[in-house]
Amino acid sequence: MKKQLKPCIASLVIALSSGSASGLALADADPIKGQQTSAMCTACHQADGNGKSNAGAESWPRLAGLNAEYIEKQLQDFRGGLRQSATMMPFANMLTEQQIKNVSAYYAQLPPKHTETVSLTTEQQALGKRLAVRGDWDRYIPACNSCHGPDAAGVGKSFPELAGQHSDYIRQQLHAWKNGSRSNDPNNLMLAVAKRMTAQDIDAVALWLAKQPIK
């Protein structure tokens, strides 16, 4: 059974991936106009799009360098209520369809960088790496890389880059999937994975991923 799950996940990744690289802009988008629209986003996502980690509070994810279609989908999901956030929903609802495409393309072309200093214990380093690279098939937890690609660098519009993303944001989203407050992922893959993870698992993998080089 365990051996059958891996090729199934790989097939699903191929089917859901657009084949485009992380950061690819939408063909009908105008990133210059997107920069103008982004003025409303800078208070949280920062002027360079690299976000900010806020321990114990809502963290703001790095958008710089993420796949444009992924960013667009998240904005559409906030606007349509498929993804819940008291912070994001009002802003998403202010945007037109074209503005969403434009601002997504703008953030996708920005250079990503680390803005968080990450420290792990030896145990967290080992556990986080194992879950991200190999998974834990005894508990039916696939590796993060099996969907998010080698080095967690992202795969198409469905699986965003995790390497270098803020640890508190990753942690918050894993808990959101675990408790069912987020459910806008393909085929509920993340919900199923997160429900099998302990708080210790989540902390370790969030910290390990945040420390990885951005490709």
Side-chain angles (χ1 to χ4, degrees):
M1 180 64 178
K2 295 175 189 175
K3 293 182 179 180
Q4 292 174 351
L5 287 173
K6 293 184 181 181
C8 289
I9 290 175
S11 298
L12 183 58
V13 170
I14 293 170
L16 291 170
S17 170
S18 66
S20 57
S22 176
L24 182 65
L26 302 171
D28 57 346
D30 186 337
I32 296 176
K33 290 182 178 178
Q35 183 176 13
Q36 299 168 357
T37 302
S38 74
M40 68 173 67
C41 313
T42 57
C44 293
H45 296 286
Q46 310 300 295
D48 62 2
N50 281 289
K52 186 177 181 181
S53 188
N54 298 307
E58 181 181 24
S59 288
W60 306 314
R62 168 176 66 83
L63 302 180
L66 295 186
N67 181 279
E69 290 179 284
Y70 173 78
I71 300 173
E72 180 188 16
K73 181 184 185 303
Q74 301 313 301
L75 286 169
Q76 294 284 8
D77 287 353
F78 283 126
R79 192 168 69 164
L82 294 177
R83 184 173 174 184
Q84 302 293 314
S85 168
T87 302
M88 277 302 305
M89 291 172 75
F91 289 102
N93 279 300
M94 293 170 62
L95 301 177
T96 66
E97 295 282 344
Q98 189 60 49
Q99 285 176 320
I100 286 177
K101 290 181 181 294
N102 293 345
V103 78
S104 298
Y106 169 68
Y107 278 118
Q109 69 175 10
L110 292 181
K113 64 181 181 181
H114 281 100
T115 60
E116 176 189 7
T117 301
V118 182
S119 298
L120 299 85
T121 66
T122 302
E123 292 76 12
Q124 287 174 324
Q125 170 73 20
L127 176 59
K129 182 177 182 178
R130 177 162 59 86
L131 291 172
V133 177
R134 300 194 304 275
D136 186 341
W137 288 99
D138 289 336
R139 293 185 288 153
Y140 297 100
I141 298 175
C144 302
N145 290 0
S146 65
C147 288
H148 292 270
D151 302 316
V155 177
K157 64 181 181 181
S158 297
F159 302 102
E161 181 179 34
L162 299 178
Q165 185 58 272
H166 298 295
S167 60
D168 283 311
Y169 178 75
I170 297 173
R171 185 183 295 108
Q172 288 164 9
Q173 297 312 303
L174 284 170
H175 280 293
W177 274 304
K178 185 178 178 69
N179 65 32
S181 60
R182 181 174 177 182
S183 59
N184 71 324
D185 55 316
N187 292 349
N188 291 322
L189 281 173
M190 282 306 308
L191 183 147
V193 172
K195 282 188 178 298
R196 300 185 183 110
M197 297 178 73
T198 66
Q200 182 184 25
D201 293 334
I202 289 173
D203 285 343
V205 79
L207 289 167
W208 191 87
L209 288 167
K211 197 170 183 176
Q212 299 315 297
I214 300 171
K215 299 299 181 179

